[in-house]
Amino acid sequence: MAEIAVTGATGNLGRIVIEDLLTRVGPEDLIAIARTPGKAADLTERGLEVRHGDYGDAGSLDGALAGVRTLLLVSSPDLTPGVRVVQHRAVIDAAARAGVRRLVYTSGIGAGDGLDFGADHSATEQALEKSGLTRTVLRNALYSEAFLGTALAQASRTGEVTSATEGQRLSTARLRDLALAASAALTGDGHENATYDLYGPLWTYAELAETLSGVLGKPVAHREVTDAEAGWLGALFPLVRSGALTRTGGDLERLLGRPPAGLHETVTALIERQARSK
């Protein structure tokens, strides 16, 4: 029986999880599940078994999960209303049929609060509970990179960052930290039927502008705008203003064994990544 399988193995989070797992277990104990296995050819070369598994193709899931002991279900990127829950349930049902001993699910903050933005995650958590599977739920914060990447590009181009947060603080987490937390939950003891709220440090856009000023070595100002002027982030800023993203907690730090990354570390990592990709 294979020790651990990771879905979404070619995605941003899944790939980091696999890389960290390879420092904890041997490649023979890992299975990478991908919708397009060819994109994970390098993992095959490193000794991992790569299987085809498509959330939207329930027939592919039984073979993908055969013999799996512990499964990481990375939430579907399909945000079409109603679709993601159906896809998640298909994986949960296949996991139950395959005899998976524990399913770790990357849920999201808001799943336990009855908020609309967490509805798909809440429904998935309920399906997991009804399945009878031993489970670990990771309620991930929104990715810091979603906010900081946009702000970095804007600051580099215009010397300012804009938001419609009205000074409200928000808690986000670096993608890498959330992936490493998932790896720890997959391999550690005592996580059975646990739910973790994975919050990063609180920050404001004024603090982000100050951080960018220091990292970029030039003045960066912060300016409040309307939701309509804020681009695609305008859809998230009402959530920020409501205070829904201001919660904190120590679960992420406990899983990581260190404090999660703050603004300076995440911005610096973004700049380094951009430099490598050029």
Side-chain angles (χ1 to χ4, degrees), residues 155 159 206-222 267:
E207 292 169 344
L208 175 56
E210 183 178 354
T211 298
L212 287 168
S213 296
V215 173
L216 296 176
K218 66 178 184 179
V220 176
H222 170 240
V267 168

Side-chain angles (χ1 to χ4, degrees), residues 175-194:
L175 171 64
R176 180 172 180 79
D177 281 351
L178 295 172
L180 297 184
S183 178
L186 286 164
T187 55
D189 296 325
H191 303 304
E192 293 81 3
N193 296 323

Side-chain angles (χ1 to χ4, degrees), residues 224-243:
E224 283 284 325
V225 296
T226 65
D227 290 336
E229 294 172 310
W232 72 272
L233 283 173
L236 291 176
F237 285 144
L239 192 64
V240 176
R241 293 195 301 272
S242 74

Side-chain angles (χ1 to χ4, degrees), residues 11-142:
N12 292 329
L13 186 137
R15 177 53 71 109
I16 299 172
V17 172
I18 287 177
E19 293 294 341
D20 190 67
L21 286 173
L22 284 169
T23 69
R24 300 170 182 261
V25 300
E28 69 279 2
D29 291 324
L30 291 178
I31 293 174
I33 299 174
R35 183 171 59 181
T36 309
K39 292 182 178 179
D42 65 302
L43 295 179
T44 302
E45 294 172 357
R46 295 164 65 184
L48 276 73
E49 181 181 358
V50 178
R51 295 180 179 177
H52 172 246
D54 186 339
Y55 297 161
D57 177 10
S60 72
L61 297 174
D62 287 326
L65 301 184
V68 170
R69 183 188 301 267
T70 304
L71 173 67
L72 176 64
L73 169 55
V74 177
S75 57
S76 169
D78 192 332
L79 300 182
T80 306
V83 171
R84 185 156 63 163
V85 175
V86 171
Q87 293 178 341
H88 292 170
R89 285 174 177 158
V91 178
I92 292 168
D93 291 344
R97 290 193 297 270
V100 170
R101 296 185 183 179
R102 183 165 63 101
L103 190 151
V104 179
Y105 171 57
T106 61
S107 185
I109 55 172
D113 300 330
L115 300 176
D116 288 343
F117 82 98
D120 286 350
H121 290 307
S122 180
T124 301
E125 289 185 19
Q126 292 171 18
L128 260 175
E129 184 174 359
K130 291 178 181 177
S131 74
L133 289 167
T134 299
R135 62 200 180 276
T136 305
V137 175
L138 307 175
R139 289 178 177 164
N140 287 347
L142 297 181

